[in-house]
Amino acid sequence: DTAVSQTPKYLVTQMGNDKSIKCEQNLGHDTMYWYKQDSKKFLKIMFSYNNKELIINETVPNRFSPKSPDKAHLNLHINSLELGDSAVYFCASSQELGPGGTEAFFGQGTRLTVV
Amino acid sequence: DQQVKQNSPSLSVQEGRISILNCDYTNSMFDYFLWYKKYPAEGPTFLISISSIKDKNEDGRFTVFLNKSAKHLSLHIVPSQPGDSAVYFCAASARLTGGGNKLTFGTGTQLKVEL
């Protein structure tokens, strides 16, 4: 019944590895996001897809590549992991409620630790 | 360039009293504002929102006030309860020309409600 689910919840990996985080939403929303919460607890948007089209691509290293196979899924692939990539990554989805109205639903987060 | 700011990283309030959390923004294109609550090891959950055409929205113990001229909003919780202890994020939404919305988050305020 989870509205936005992301896997895995915890991910510990070595520098230089490639890893993926998966996200699925069962809310029928058109828009999905990836946010990063760093050690200072800032929640920063990384990417957003609207109807499988990339609409937001903030200043994120090319090593990060989102992929949306369909409206319900937005996966995040990270190449050549670095220590600074350690953070909690949140997936979210939303549907426009009206002019500017956007209530985004978040997954439980994936805590990525690069060692 | 932090477009949404929460200048108080923490707030401590006694049970039963009012909690007031503040948020300032700089971008005039924001047309919808939201408050999220976050417990440790969980994703942010939506609490309450307000459209830019309103100045107040109330939902039970939670009220959000918007002062557009000052680019300031606040969340009032009354009476505060121990279960309200969490990190509260202010968020602002702006429509994108290609469709969809972009949510920008503040840095969060840790609220602690003491017995």
Side-chain angles (χ1 to χ4, degrees):
Chain A
D1 273 292
T2 305
V4 181
S5 60
Q6 45 184 119
T7 54
K9 189 168 183 178
Y10 300 97
L11 182 55
V12 181
T13 187
Q14 288 190 325
M15 279 174 54
N17 283 351
D18 302 339
K19 290 293 178 186
S20 292
I21 307 172
K22 295 185 177 181
C23 180
E24 176 182 4
Q25 54 99 359
N26 62 7
L27 298 165
H29 288 167
D30 289 331
T31 308
M32 294 187 73
Y33 312 80
W34 276 108
Y35 281 83
K36 178 181 179 181
Q37 187 177 35
D38 60 22
S39 56
K40 293 183 180 177
K41 308 300 182 187
F42 294 162
L43 259 174
K44 290 185 180 175
I45 191 165
M46 300 173 67
F47 302 102
S48 177
Y49 272 71
N50 188 43
N51 286 313
K52 300 198 301 173
E53 302 255 342
L54 181 66
I55 57 171
I56 297 174
N57 185 351
E58 296 292 292
T59 309
V60 177
N62 290 338
R63 299 181 294 102
F64 289 78
S65 54
K67 285 196 170 47
S68 181
D70 54 57
K71 268 176 43 171
H73 295 85
L74 181 61
N75 304 322
L76 183 65
H77 189 75
I78 314 169
N79 289 327
S80 303
L81 278 155
E82 299 178 358
L83 292 176
D85 297 332
S86 296
V88 181
Y89 293 84
F90 288 100
C91 175
S93 74
S94 71
Q95 189 76 349
E96 295 180 26
L97 300 176
T102 307
E103 176 188 329
F105 292 81
F106 283 78
Q108 80 277 21
T110 296
R111 181 173 291 278
L112 171 65
T113 304
V114 182
V115 297
Chain B
D1 178 26
Q2 192 71 23
Q3 296 187 359
V4 180
K5 296 179 184 179
Q6 294 174 254
N7 292 319
S8 298
S10 64
L11 175 67
S12 188
V13 171
Q14 276 198 322
E15 183 181 12
R17 301 285 188 125
I18 185 171
S19 295
I20 300 176
L21 296 97
N22 293 304
C23 178
D24 297 295
Y25 63 95
T26 57
N27 190 343
S28 301
M29 298 304 293
F30 291 140
D31 56 4
Y32 203 74
F33 302 90
L34 308 92
W35 284 94
Y36 281 81
K37 178 179 179 180
K38 185 182 180 304
Y39 293 115
E42 292 183 13
T45 55
F46 170 74
L47 195 58
I48 191 170
S49 62
I50 187 167
S51 166
S52 60
I53 61 173
K54 296 187 175 180
D55 55 20
K56 178 183 175 181
N57 188 26
E58 190 172 351
D59 183 3
R61 297 186 297 115
F62 303 91
T63 304
V64 56
F65 295 92
L66 175 63
N67 182 335
K68 275 187 70 176
S69 59
K71 293 191 174 71
H72 176 85
L73 64 154
S74 61
L75 174 67
H76 292 210
I77 307 173
V78 56
S80 300
Q81 298 173 355
D84 296 331
S85 297
V87 177
Y88 288 79
F89 287 97
C90 168
S93 174
R95 281 187 157 249
L96 299 170
T97 51
N101 302 75
K102 179 180 177 181
L103 268 182
T104 302
F105 281 82
T107 48
T109 297
Q110 171 76 59
L111 172 66
K112 185 177 179 183
V113 180
E114 297 170 324
L115 297 170

